[in-house]
Amino acid sequence: MSEHKLHLKITTHEKVVFDADVDEIYSRSMQGEFGILPDHIPFMCALDIGVTKIVIGSEVQYFAIMGGVFQLKDNQALILAQTAENGKDIDATRAKEAKERAQARLTESSDDIDIKRAEIALARAIIRLKAASGN
């Protein structure tokens, strides 16, 4: 394995969520899942709603990423996300309640329901729960 590290910065409009050297990055693009190791060729993609997993030595951290852009060049990785949360900071109870509310909205047979909005709320809640539980 390379002795090099990747430097990863995860940022939103409001704040920097993560900024440190890492050994591995795994995330989800609009085309599917991908993994990045040190000395990877330059790479850029649009991110989907998903969990980003980072590995630092024997430690693993999970982040709920709600869309954005991933770019990598010269072992410098950047995630510009619409929303990003460290899994350990997620309130799992609130995320579970949001999931249940979204599921309830989708099962209602009302014309007032914005189906796409409810589906996105459900996807976000599921990703938050996965990041909080380390999946």
Side-chain angles (χ1 to χ4, degrees):
M1 182 170 203
S2 171
E3 291 184 27
H4 293 114
K5 294 260 188 188
L6 296 159
H7 186 85
L8 173 63
K9 185 174 189 176
I10 301 173
T11 187
T12 68
H13 300 291
E14 293 87 32
K15 64 181 178 178
V16 174
V17 177
F18 181 85
D19 190 1
D21 288 342
V22 302
D23 295 307
E24 304 168 30
I25 304 167
Y26 301 92
S27 196
R28 181 173 185 79
S29 75
M30 298 302 283
Q31 289 76 37
E33 296 181 356
F34 65 91
I36 302 290
L37 297 172
D39 301 324
H40 194 286
I41 62 169
F43 178 72
M44 185 172 183
C45 65
L47 293 174
D48 199 356
I49 294 172
V51 174
T52 294
K53 172 183 166 183
I54 62 167
V55 178
I56 307 169
S58 61
E59 178 190 356
V60 177
Q61 292 185 38
Y62 298 89
F63 294 84
I65 304 293
M66 306 303 170
V69 176
F70 176 89
Q71 61 186 52
L72 170 78
K73 185 176 180 191
D74 300 328
N75 287 329
Q76 300 294 310
L78 176 63
I79 292 176
L80 299 169
Q82 294 168 2
T83 306
E85 292 177 272
N86 190 320
K88 66 183 179 192
D89 297 334
I90 293 172
D91 182 339
T93 303
R94 272 187 63 215
K96 186 175 182 191
E97 290 168 356
K99 177 184 172 193
E100 291 166 358
R101 281 192 308 274
Q103 288 172 323
R105 279 196 306 267
L106 287 169
T107 58
E108 291 176 12
S109 56
S110 168
D111 291 337
D112 320 355
I113 301 296
D114 183 342
I115 299 291
K116 190 66 178 163
R117 188 170 161 210
E119 288 172 342
I120 291 170
L122 178 59
R124 291 171 66 109
I126 290 170
I127 291 306
R128 291 182 79 234
L129 285 169
K130 284 184 177 184
S133 67
N135 288 324

